[in-house]
Amino acid sequence: MCGRFTVKGDPAKVRKNFRLLSIPNLMPRYNVAPTQDIAVVGLGKDGPNLIQMRWGLVPSWSKDPKAGAPLINARADTVAVKPAFREAFRKRRCLIVADGFYEWTGEKEQKQAWYITLASGEPFGFAALWERWRPPAGTQGEPILSAAIVTTDANDAIAHIHHRMPVILDPADHAAWLDPSATPDRLAGFLKPLPSVSVRAYRVGKTVNAVRNDGPECVAPLDAAA
DNA sequence: CCAGACGTTGTT
DNA sequence: GTCTGG
DNA sequence: CCAGACGTTGTT
DNA sequence: GTCTGG
């Protein structure tokens, strides 16, 4: 699964990897948590554009955005048919800007966090969906743009940590993923685990556990050797 | 036909 | 334990 | 995802 | 929005 991630930055690389028209103004984030604002790349009239959304998809028909667990992940194998996701999967695919994510092993006192990045260290896009929620007529509330990360089986490099992982797209596939006319078969082809050779994972301290911590210490290797 | 329900994942 | 907030 | 809160009444 | 139940 994927319940925390980073966008440490280098906005210039983000611009390059997502083919944005300008360098985005991104604050370095070391501990992005569900319900927080995230940077999402969608397909605008003039190409890819970056906007801010909330992590945790709220179905358009939801009566109350706070009702139910936040939909932070969507399984690749069912995203096309689940009521909460299928329409977004068909019409509102997007990329969530990141450069690493966390997974945990163990429980309670023995809980151990791991930090996973590309071997290249480059920023990347999670395959994601977005949705627009509007408050029902006559009720309080502001419209909410929200998104969920598609997950798939873990690759061999991180299977010892967790059996699921977020879908990370090859930049070469970004345009095709965002293409409104993409066929279901084509899309399914993108929703695969990243090759093991292209990821790195190492243990980190418990700083990341608390959402209030959002600095470089979150990604500091636990082992001196790492 | 209309009314009303419908969120998900990963864990054990 | 369960739910909420981040 | 994890951390932390989560009590009610009656009275002023 | 789409699907199910009546």
Side-chain angles (χ1 to χ4, degrees):
Chain A
M1 159 177 237
C2 180
R4 298 284 181 90
F5 66 89
T6 64
V7 200
K8 304 187 300 293
D10 194 340
K13 283 187 176 179
V14 171
R15 172 171 111 92
K16 172 171 161 285
N17 291 7
F18 291 88
R19 301 181 184 283
L20 300 172
L21 294 175
S22 60
I23 296 177
N25 180 21
L26 294 173
M27 294 292 292
R29 294 296 312 275
Y30 293 85
N31 196 3
V32 180
T35 74
Q36 294 184 343
D37 283 340
I38 56 178
V40 173
V41 173
L43 193 58
K45 290 181 178 177
D46 302 319
N49 63 353
L50 186 147
I51 57 179
Q52 191 170 286
M53 291 192 186
R54 173 189 221 247
W55 185 18
L57 186 145
V58 179
S60 62
W61 39 260
S62 177
K63 291 184 178 66
D64 174 7
K66 289 192 170 187
L71 309 178
I72 62 172
N73 293 151
R75 292 181 61 96
D77 53 345
T78 57
V79 67
V81 296
K82 289 281 186 180
F85 298 137
R86 57 193 173 197
E87 198 182 338
F89 177 67
R90 212 184 314 145
K91 303 175 185 172
R92 289 181 293 278
R93 293 178 301 280
C94 60
L95 301 161
I96 293 175
V97 179
D99 49 24
F101 63 96
Y102 300 96
E103 299 283 2
W104 279 261
T105 56
E107 293 185 3
K108 300 287 181 66
E109 298 300 313
Q110 304 187 15
K111 198 165 286 184
Q112 172 65 60
W114 297 72
Y115 183 53
I116 298 109
T117 66
L118 292 183
S120 66
E122 289 287 311
F124 54 79
F126 289 127
L129 325 164
W130 68 273
E131 187 56 270
R132 184 194 309 275
W133 179 86
R134 288 190 172 85
T139 65
Q140 294 285 339
E142 292 298 311
I144 298 174
L145 298 181
S146 61
I149 297 170
V150 180
T151 64
T152 186
D153 297 318
N155 63 29
D156 291 341
I158 63 178
H160 67 99
I161 301 171
H162 206 71
H163 69 108
R164 305 286 298 170
M165 69 180 291
V167 173
I168 294 172
L169 296 177
D170 185 317
D173 294 331
H174 283 179
W177 169 254
L178 297 176
D179 182 355
S181 64
T183 65
D185 280 355
R186 184 89 197 280
L187 295 174
F190 296 138
L191 304 182
K192 307 292 183 187
L194 209 61
S196 297
V197 292
S198 58
V199 303
R200 293 285 181 276
Y202 63 83
R203 304 195 304 161
V204 296
K206 57 188 178 187
T207 301
V208 68
N209 290 14
V211 170
R212 64 177 177 274
N213 299 322
D214 190 24
E217 192 184 336
C218 290
V219 301
L222 195 61
D223 306 300

